[in-house]
Amino acid sequence: MSTPLQFDLIGTDARTRARLGRVTTRHGCFDTPAFMPVGTQGTVKGVLPDHIAATGSQIILANTYHLMLRPGSKVVAELGDLHKFMAWPGPILTDSGGFQVFSLADINRIDDDGLTFRSHIDGSVVQLTPKLSMQVQNDLGADIIMAFDECADPRKPVEYQQQAVDRTLRWAEQCIASHARPNDQSLFGIVQGGTCESLRLSCVEKLIGLDFPGYAIGGLAVGEGFEAMTRVLSYTAPALPERKPRYLMGVGFPRDIIAAVREGVDMFDCVMPTRNGRNAYAFTASGPIRLRNSRFGNDSQPVESGCDCYSCRTFTRGAIRHFFLAGEMLGPILLSLHNIRFYQRLMVDVRRAIAEGRFDDFAATDPRASLAAAAEAEPQDVQDT
Amino acid sequence: MSTPLQFDLIGTDARTRARLGRVTTRHGCFDTPAFMPVGTQGTVKGVLPDHIAATGSQIILANTYHLMLRPGSKVVAELGDLHKFMAWPGPILTDSGGFQVFSLADINRIDDDGLTFRSHIDGSVVQLTPKLSMQVQNDLGADIIMAFDECADPRKPVEYQQQAVDRTLRWAEQCIASHARPNDQSLFGIVQGGTCESLRLSCVEKLIGLDFPGYAIGGLAVGEGFEAMTRVLSYTAPALPERKPRYLMGVGFPRDIIAAVREGVDMFDCVMPTRNGRNAYAFTASGPIRLRNSRFGNDSQPVESGCDCYSCRTFTRGAIRHFFLAGEMLGPILLSLHNIRFYQRLMVDVRRAIAEGRFDDFAATDPRASLAAAAEAEPQDVQDT
């Protein structure tokens, strides 16, 4: 392989824009549409790598913001890069760090140079720039790295969105110029533009001119709502190059993933399986269940009948409820595992439906296609937003 | 197999009293001398059963006191007994609950009937009697269950020790009378008597008259010191029946285990591998290390060179240190795993040394034989005392 990323488009659905593909990196390949569990601080919280692999996950995501602040990207590099650090020999993607600054840090300034903020760990002032984001991501050594962008608040006026797009495009060029390991790591560009079609399309056009090996769609699932998100995807995704992977950042509920696959998106990540799992919230095809509920006290069924995950093969609902009430780590561990497997089984079924030319029917009839916002557990942990 | 426990004495060391054996239960067998990890509330904290099995553990222990209060032994029975509840298909031992009442609960009264205390969970008043301890342990369904005894404070005068022994013996008879599943579960008697040789020996003699399938030595490692403990073992263990297993409760450091094996003890349990692991404390043959120490920040070695555990095969010291500092569950999980494997590798080497007739030399020269009290981490978690 001469380039660090190869995307094979295996097939497209006849009645929708859904695509079946495979991405090959220097650390192995993953099938698309793909779901990436989130390993914020260098671990998928509570789940050892052998169990993550057993969920069918083929690529995981780590957060540049967190690792930059602690333990520091140089430390990760000295320990042999993120693959060794996380003990994940397969593909890894890192984000640019920008989104976490917006959501977690005390921001002092956004300007054309970057973001200046106070660390949520020690209060120190840090300026994150396109160049620094690239340096950090080069140190971490993920297979896919993300351009540093501005994810503008969707409630801001279109003039601000325009300014954020302009900044995102300038930063994209700076990222390309700063990227020191183009033979090892594939840098994806990020489309911004809020819910404005012309802004989105002009952003896409200019990013295509920069010839990234893959493209992400950012600034969605940040409060604009499902209809608006789907509308943006309906014109943004098809405008992206057919022969390159498309990644919808931070999404989402099963309903959202299925809707985005329909528009031609290939890659997803979301903290919901793990965060909800830590809060005793289990995804099932017939709707979510909250394992702290007393009705599960002597329930000898698995979390989800028919699920093949380690938790469902091994433990009863009653035991898992007890683990949560007793404050035992096994509660969060077991539901994180189940929820990741739930997502990966969904992706397997999505890919199979596309392969068999029946994705439209699948999306219309599968009960998981309606699992949405009501399914979100209360966020009790902001660490992996 | 006609009885629920069979003990095969495979060999005895020529120069010490060390014994090599095998215990067979209705849920499989374990080699002795054996170390049992502690699964207080129905889980070995943070470690999934497949990883516990991979440490070489063949039998685990669970605490009657905790499970009786939450979720309740009837709930465990409804869910299919402790093997199903904990997802541990192999041998399990439960204690009587008495020791945890002494160490965790607010005791209102000790009398000839039993212990009256306030639950540490909801403040309710509970009276634990020999009969109730048996009922609870019968519900839980462990392979080996323990008689309800009084573990007297070793600082109390000999008159009190005598009274506690008398009570322990009366309660032992009551336990035999109440034990409802003698064909499934093996009830062990417990020797008390503090550090008084005549009391210990008379207690042994009377327990032998009750013909238990195995015997535990209680009331040690409760503050009397290493020399006193070894002295008590030197006359108590050899007085027990040769063809039945001997269990030293709640012990201990590698040094203590090796010293007890020398006196002819076959079974051990201790929370140290897991509790210390949760506090970033790792056992190694060359002495303990504390993974929060900054010197491990960019240390790319495994926790212990030459260790074959999942943690050491998979993660660097630097990454594990980061997980502790970042509050990630993987820190406690990985060191619990390593420490359990450390103990099980010790037991493998102990058994091999006995089999090869060189236990005396092993005990004199192996560096682990000196790992003792200085190795204890600060207890930050009283849940599994």
Side-chain angles (χ1 to χ4, degrees), chain B residues 65 69 106 108 117-126:
Chain B
Y65 169 82
L69 297 181
D106 178 13
N108 291 89
F117 64 97
R118 277 188 190 279
S119 158
H120 77 285
I121 294 172
D122 65 4
S124 63
V125 174
V126 182

Side-chain angles (χ1 to χ4, degrees), chain B residues 274-341:
Chain B
T274 43
R275 181 198 290 158
N276 286 16
R278 291 200 301 285
N279 291 323
Y281 179 110
F283 284 92
T284 84
S286 52
I289 60 175
R290 292 165 191 276
L291 266 292
R292 288 181 181 273
N293 193 303
S294 61
R295 74 190 166 97
F296 300 120
N298 58 359
D299 189 336
S300 60
Q301 293 181 282
V303 168
E304 181 174 21
S305 293
C307 177
D308 60 358
C309 83
Y310 180 81
S311 306
C312 290
R313 282 186 282 116
T314 314
F315 288 94
T316 62
R317 289 173 169 178
I320 295 176
R321 174 176 187 267
H322 163 70
F323 299 154
F324 274 102
L325 296 188
E328 287 287 348
M329 281 186 275
L330 255 58
I333 291 169
L334 290 167
L335 287 200
S336 295
L337 251 176
H338 167 74
N339 285 346
I340 296 173
R341 179 61 186 149

Side-chain angles (χ1 to χ4, degrees), chain A residues 41 45 78 298 322 328, chain B residues 41 45 78 298 322 328:
Chain A
Q41 302 191 104
K45 289 187 188 299
E78 285 171 39
N298 57 0
H322 163 70
E328 286 288 345
Chain B
Q41 301 191 105
K45 289 186 188 301
E78 285 171 40
N298 58 359
H322 163 70
E328 287 287 348

Side-chain angles (χ1 to χ4, degrees), chain A residues 7 71 77 98 128 192 202 211 217 231 234 243 246 292 298 364:
Chain A
F7 178 58
L128 186 57
Q192 290 288 351
S202 86
D211 196 26
I217 303 170
R231 204 161 47 242
S234 72
R243 298 282 164 178
R246 305 163 184 168
R292 287 180 182 274
N298 57 0

Side-chain angles (χ1 to χ4, degrees), chain A residues 298-316:
Chain A
N298 57 0
D299 189 336
S300 60
Q301 293 180 280
V303 168
E304 181 174 21
S305 293
C307 176
D308 60 357
C309 82
Y310 180 81
S311 306
C312 289
R313 283 186 283 112
T314 314
F315 287 95
T316 62

